[in-house]
Amino acid sequence: MDSRRLLRTSAAAVAVAGLILSGCTGGSDAASPTGSATRAAGGASATPGPASPAPSPEELKKYYGQKPAWRDCGVSGFQCATLRAPLDYAKPAGPEIELAVSRVRATGPGERIGSLLVNPGGPGGSAVGYLQGYAGIGYPEPVRARYDMVAVDPRGVARSEPVACLSGPEMDAYTQVDQTPDDQAEVDALTASFERFAAGCEKRTGAVLPHVSTVETARDMDILRAVLGDAKLHYVGASYGTFLGATYAELFPGRVGRLVLDGAMDPSLSALDLNRDQTAGFETAFRAFAADCVARPDCPLGTGTVESAGEALLKFFHAADAAPVPTGEKRALGESLATTGVIAAMYDEGAWPQLREALTRAIGGEGSALLALADSYYEREPDGTYSNLMYANAAVNCLDLPPAYQGPADAAKAAPSFTEASPVFGEGLAWAALNCTYWPTPATGRPHRITAEGAAPVLVVGTTRDPATPYKWARSLADQLSSGTLLTYEGDGHTAYGRGSDCVDTAVNTYLLEGTPPAPRKRCS
């Protein structure tokens, strides 16, 4: 999996929602309708703020005054348009970037509140795909009745001048590199794979690559707000989308409307701490899965304890490292792909039966089902092509925070603390956090607290056993925000809104429709 910050949210079921990792090799949050990932860096900065001075309103006037030319999308009920923004906000008179936007109009009845912008996380998840595949048709009817549902693919993502890095065969090779190196040769192979990935991104993406940061995307969102004719931004962001929403509130506190930040990230943490915390989150999720599994007579990890289940899974990973499991195709299931397949199923407890079946088959010598889970995480198509999710994920994460490590020696030094956080996943996720070390463009962001003084009430939602965005991150972000309110969901999976809790959905819907957040410290189950 890709410790680059994989927080993402799935638009349909098992694919897009919670990739937040900052240093892994892949990432997914399979199966949540609303989720996203995180990365490593140095210490927290005392002073927040964008990397470059904000351009003046006059310099951006032509962008804020755009009139979108809405057209049919080819998807029933949805319209599409293109939004223009400066490629570099420090040079607003310079080259432009074009961003893909989609909307579905409010259905009524009731007075229209405005536009509700949605983002599924990642970074790298397609917001337009999420809107058209889930939010625009699956959000609660009272919300869709009173809001135009809107999405913009962030710069570098999907339809918005996407970051490109590797060919399909090159990406296949990248996902199979051993992320638990046993000797110097394997360390060298892993670092070389990160170097090839970064070089491919620089070669294939060019001028866009240094300008896909979260701060720049948040500025794009404010242009979109104005173009849509809204005085305030109303927004639901999942996983990494919570960092994007919080960044918007930091830059434009007076323009904050109703912001829901579900599966929250903690912007005050370094990349190293984010990766280690997320590793602990996956361990928490695995233990919940294991407790359920060992109570079943057909559990592929045995019927003993949670600890013995973890030992059985590690034994399988080590066996797959020594002798990859056949899958019926050219790609065999080695340790890296096997680990990614298991992690993919941690994002939603609804995927646990699929994981039990996949592990049963893989341990028995047939790895195709577990490989399919890994492929869903990477968004690999049957024809061997990949979406740009993983490329955008790395590009954004490596700009937003300085790298976790200066080199392999730092990864080796950190590995024991990762293993302490997760005996099952820790070693691999520790080494995966090396990816931003080799990035061709320097980071423009730094970890810092976000207070957004002067913003309207912001609703932060946290799930107690969230694998990708640990619950303590939601507590921290709600405490940082001057107007933050925390809503807690006591349960499993990545993110909470729209995942089956009437208590959570009622609280979020009431906030979106009436502007009233729930009582402080409200808890749902």
Side-chain angles (χ1 to χ4, degrees):
M1 142 156 219
D2 193 1
S3 170
R4 307 165 198 162
R5 238 204 202 160
L6 287 177
L7 294 174
R8 102 207 199 211
T9 293
S10 191
V14 198
V16 171
L19 268 170
I20 289 177
L21 304 171
S22 157
C24 296
T25 275
S28 157
D29 41 352
S32 149
T34 49
S36 199
T38 295
R39 189 199 335 129
S45 159
T47 306
S52 59
S56 70
E58 188 61 31
E59 291 177 301
L60 296 176
K61 187 175 181 179
K62 69 174 183 177
Y63 296 109
Y64 275 82
Q66 293 175 75
K67 302 297 181 186
W70 294 104
R71 62 187 184 277
D72 181 74
C73 286
V75 179
S76 180
F78 291 88
Q79 296 176 308
C80 290
T82 299
L83 182 76
R84 293 179 295 109
L87 174 64
D88 184 351
Y89 276 92
K91 301 174 182 177
E96 295 180 346
I97 191 168
E98 292 189 344
L99 309 174
V101 182
S102 184
R103 74 176 180 183
V104 58
R105 303 305 296 268
T107 59
E111 182 180 357
R112 177 183 174 278
I113 296 172
S115 304
L116 181 63
L117 190 65
V118 296
N119 182 281
S126 171
V128 170
Y130 175 70
L131 176 75
Q132 296 176 356
Y134 173 70
I137 55 178
Y139 264 36
E141 191 279 331
V143 174
R144 292 184 289 113
R146 299 187 60 198
Y147 284 100
D148 291 347
M149 302 290 293
V150 181
V152 55
D153 277 347
R155 48 176 62 209
V157 173
R159 301 162 180 84
S160 294
E161 305 202 21
V163 173
C165 299
L166 301 177
S167 67
E170 288 171 337
M171 188 64 177
D172 279 347
Y174 178 72
T175 63
Q176 295 178 74
V177 174
D178 188 353
Q179 294 210 10
T180 57
D182 299 317
D183 54 35
Q184 188 59 46
E186 291 189 348
V187 170
D188 292 344
L190 180 59
T191 58
S193 75
F194 288 140
E195 290 172 339
R196 285 192 297 271
F197 185 98
C201 297
E202 184 175 35
K203 178 181 178 180
R204 289 176 168 86
T205 304
V208 173
L209 197 63
H211 297 290
V212 295
S213 70
T214 297
V215 166
E216 289 162 307
T217 294
R219 292 194 183 282
D220 296 340
M221 285 166 52
D222 195 57
I223 292 176
L224 178 59
R225 171 203 59 77
V227 167
L228 294 170
D230 293 329
K232 305 282 186 179
L233 181 81
H234 306 303
Y235 174 82
V236 178
S239 192
Y240 158 79
T242 66
F243 179 49
L244 179 56
T247 299
Y248 180 89
E250 178 181 40
L251 293 172
F252 308 104
R255 298 173 191 169
V256 168
R258 299 167 191 180
L259 260 62
V260 178
L261 308 180
D262 184 14
M265 289 180 60
D266 182 350
S268 71
L269 297 178
S270 71
L272 180 60
D273 288 337
L274 284 169
N275 277 310
R276 194 158 38 209
D277 280 358
Q278 193 174 50
T279 298
F282 282 113
E283 179 70 17
T284 297
F286 172 74
R287 291 180 68 84
F289 163 76
D292 176 81
C293 187
V294 298
R296 300 171 183 271
D298 60 346
C299 177
L301 302 178
T303 56
T305 64
V306 168
E307 288 72 20
S308 66
E311 292 167 0
L313 184 58
L314 268 180
K315 181 179 178 181
F316 165 66
F317 286 161
H318 292 158
D321 187 25
V325 182
T327 64
E329 59 171 278
K330 290 182 179 179
R331 293 179 303 150
L333 185 78
E335 181 181 15
S336 291
L337 285 171
T339 303
T340 300
V342 174
I343 283 176
M346 293 297 98
Y347 284 85
D348 194 313
E349 66 273 27
W352 290 358
Q354 183 181 359
L355 177 59
R356 289 196 302 272
E357 171 65 18
L359 283 172
T360 297
R361 291 172 58 182
I363 292 171
E366 202 289 298
S368 63
L370 196 54
L371 178 64
L373 277 169
D375 284 351
S376 73
Y377 184 82
Y378 286 117
E379 294 195 352
R380 184 187 190 273
E381 299 297 331
D383 65 0
T385 60
Y386 289 77
S387 79
N388 100 305
L389 171 68
M390 288 304 174
Y391 311 142
N393 182 268
V396 175
N397 284 325
C398 295
L399 281 180
D400 280 352
L401 288 175
Y405 310 130
Q406 296 302 306
D410 290 344
K413 183 178 179 180
S417 66
F418 277 72
T419 301
E420 182 178 356
S422 174
V424 176
F425 305 118
E427 183 182 4
L429 294 183
W431 283 96
L434 255 178
N435 74 316
C436 288
T437 301
Y438 306 99
W439 202 246
T441 56
T444 54
R446 294 292 183 273
H448 63 275
R449 293 175 60 82
I450 292 180
T451 60
E453 294 288 344
V458 176
L459 180 57
V460 179
V461 186
T463 298
T464 55
R465 293 185 294 278
D466 190 316
T469 50
Y471 175 63
K472 68 177 184 178
W473 291 0
R475 289 203 316 264
S476 178
L477 180 59
D479 286 343
Q480 290 172 45
L481 291 167
S482 62
S483 59
T485 294
L486 177 64
L487 172 64
T488 297
Y489 173 55
E490 296 177 349
D492 297 293
H494 184 41
T495 74
Y497 183 48
R499 298 189 68 246
S501 169
D502 288 340
C503 174
V504 169
D505 291 355
T506 297
V508 173
N509 293 344
T510 298
Y511 170 71
L512 289 174
L513 296 172
E514 300 176 10
T516 305
R521 296 180 293 281
K522 181 175 177 62
R523 300 182 77 88
C524 295
S525 59

